[in-house]
């Protein structure tokens, strides 16, 4: 009995010592707040079926026009992540050199264009927000304030002269009634300083709910898979028809304002991977 009591007391003492030690270590090592990383996947398709093949994949619009794309590019900037409390982490806001990207279907790997972001605060995120195009605030920093991204944009054919600025969305291909045979080119973008030039501002911000929380930490790099439905180009909130009057347009005409408004609705988060 004495041995039994001794072992019982020893076990209780050992347990209390272990708990105390763990508590002490926890106090000495506060919760790890090391920033993590995040991957965003853009997959362009029609009617939420991805992987458009340039010069091949054909779509029929709600107005009966057939069309395909030979070029499909757009600028993503001002990415922000919104946590469970509604707080926003803004990734290099209005800093195109570090926070703007060109999604080019010609660069897609198995139909997907990958954007990799580092230095993301550890947190659980419920929404993602981003800009389609480049904000006026960023553009008005001047050419020196975004030299790296401006160079990339020029190389990708996503800019005009500096006075005119960036191409936000570049859509090129063919269209027709029975088959796509006639060339079209719709390039949207601001015409420099929109206030000074009295032109429409085509920069748009999009906010999307995440179907699964993106858990960013030092061990987990979430991947947010976004589908872009390019059927919205001609078959969005405003049904559009390509004609000889609008099939070769650049800038911010009313047709390209309508195109921009349609394309703003093309994005949705398909799923999130936490691994």
């Amino acid at each position: 009995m004495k041995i039994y009591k001794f072992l019982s007391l020893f076990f209780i003492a050992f347990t209390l010592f272990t708990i105390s030690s763990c508590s002490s270590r926890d106090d000495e090592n506060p919760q790890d707040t090391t920033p993590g990383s995040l991957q965003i996947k853009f997959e362009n398709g029609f009617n939420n079926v991805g992987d458009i093949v340039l010069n091949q994949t054909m779509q029929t619009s709600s107005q009966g026009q057939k069309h395909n794309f030979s070029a499909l590019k757009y600028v993503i900037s001002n990415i922000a992540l919104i946590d469970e409390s509604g707080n926003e982490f803004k990734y290099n806001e209005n800093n195109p050199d570090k926070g703007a990207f060109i999604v080019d279907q010609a660069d897609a790997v198995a139909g997907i264009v990958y954007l990799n972001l580092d230095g993301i605060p550890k947190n659980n995120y419920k929404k993602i927000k981003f800009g389609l195009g480049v904000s006026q605030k960023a553009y008005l920093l001047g050419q020196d304030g975004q030299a790296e991204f401006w160079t990339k944009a020029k190389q990708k054919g996503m800019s005009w002269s500096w006075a005119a600025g960036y191409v936000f969305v570049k859509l090129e291909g063919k269209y027709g009634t029975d088959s796509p045979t006639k060339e079209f080119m719709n390039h949207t973008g601001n015409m420099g300083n929109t206030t000074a030039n009295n032109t429409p501002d085509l920069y748009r911000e999009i906010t999307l709910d995440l179907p699964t929380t993106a858990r960013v930490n030092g061990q987990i790099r979430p991947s947010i898979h976004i589908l872009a439905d390019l059927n919205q180009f001609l078959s969005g909130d405003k049904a559009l028809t390509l004609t000889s009057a609008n099939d070769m347009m650049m800038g911010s005409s009313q047709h390209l304002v309508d195109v921009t408004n349609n394309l703003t609705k093309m994005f949705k988060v398909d799923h999130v991977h936490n691994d």
Side-chain angles (χ1 to χ4, degrees):
M1 289 295 293
K2 290 183 178 181
I3 293 175
Y4 175 76
K5 290 181 179 180
F6 172 80
L7 291 175
S8 298
L9 291 172
F10 175 80
F11 177 75
I12 293 171
F14 178 78
T15 301
L16 291 173
F17 175 79
T18 301
I19 293 172
S20 176
S21 297
C22 289
S23 177
S24 176
R25 284 195 297 272
D26 288 343
D27 292 339
E28 293 171 4
N29 298 289
Q31 188 178 18
D32 183 15
T33 58
T34 304
S37 58
L38 178 78
Q39 184 177 78
I40 306 174
K41 301 177 182 178
F42 281 91
E43 184 172 7
N44 298 309
F46 287 123
N47 292 324
N48 296 316
V49 177
D51 196 5
I52 286 177
V53 179
L54 296 177
N55 298 303
Q56 293 185 37
T57 308
M58 186 175 66
Q59 176 70 355
T60 302
S61 74
S62 61
Q63 301 301 297
Q65 277 192 330
K66 293 180 170 57
H67 60 285
N68 60 23
F69 296 115
S70 58
L72 195 180
K73 309 177 187 182
Y74 48 88
V75 174
I76 296 296
S77 65
N78 285 350
I79 296 169
L81 298 167
I82 303 170
D83 68 17
E84 295 170 316
S85 300
N87 302 309
E88 285 189 25
F89 166 69
K90 298 178 179 180
Y91 184 80
N92 295 307
E93 184 182 28
N94 294 317
N95 182 350
D97 279 356
K98 295 183 178 179
F101 305 87
I102 297 171
V103 176
D104 184 351
Q105 188 64 16
D107 296 334
V109 177
I112 296 174
V113 177
Y114 297 84
L115 309 185
N116 294 305
L117 284 57
D118 295 320
I120 308 298
K122 178 180 180 180
N123 210 332
N124 295 325
Y125 296 102
K126 298 291 288 184
K127 297 182 180 183
I128 185 170
K129 183 166 72 173
F130 54 85
L132 180 62
V134 175
S135 72
Q136 278 285 284
K137 188 171 182 179
Y139 170 72
L140 293 175
L141 292 173
Q143 194 169 357
D144 291 341
Q146 50 210 290
E148 291 181 27
F149 186 69
W150 180 252
T151 299
K152 292 177 185 176
K154 286 180 67 176
Q155 292 171 344
K156 282 287 190 180
M158 293 298 283
S159 66
W160 294 301
S161 67
W162 177 250
Y166 292 99
V167 178
F168 291 177
V169 179
K170 173 177 280 191
L171 300 176
E172 297 178 0
K174 294 182 178 180
Y175 74 98
T177 302
D178 297 322
S179 62
T181 56
K182 189 172 183 181
E183 301 278 347
F184 77 87
M185 179 186 72
N186 279 188
H187 298 179
T188 76
N190 288 344
M191 291 290 96
N193 184 326
T194 58
T195 301
N197 296 332
N198 193 29
T199 54
D201 183 357
L202 298 194
Y203 173 75
R204 298 288 187 271
E205 287 192 341
I206 296 101
T207 301
L208 303 174
D209 292 329
L210 303 184
T212 304
T213 300
R215 303 193 304 273
V216 176
N217 59 48
Q219 290 74 46
I220 297 176
R221 183 193 67 171
S223 178
I224 299 174
H225 191 136
I226 296 175
L227 292 178
D229 177 14
L230 271 298
N231 189 47
Q232 296 296 314
F233 169 42
L234 299 179
S235 306
D237 286 348
K238 184 169 185 176
L240 301 175
T241 301
L242 291 171
T243 69
S244 58
N246 62 22
D247 60 6
M248 293 290 170
M249 279 195 163
M250 297 185 292
S252 55
S253 65
Q254 184 56 52
H255 169 70
L256 295 179
V257 172
D258 293 338
V259 168
T260 296
N261 291 336
N262 278 355
L263 294 179
T264 300
K265 305 292 181 64
M266 72 178 174
F267 299 103
K268 81 165 190 176
V269 178
D270 186 66
H271 59 271
V272 177
H273 286 296
N274 284 296
D275 49 38

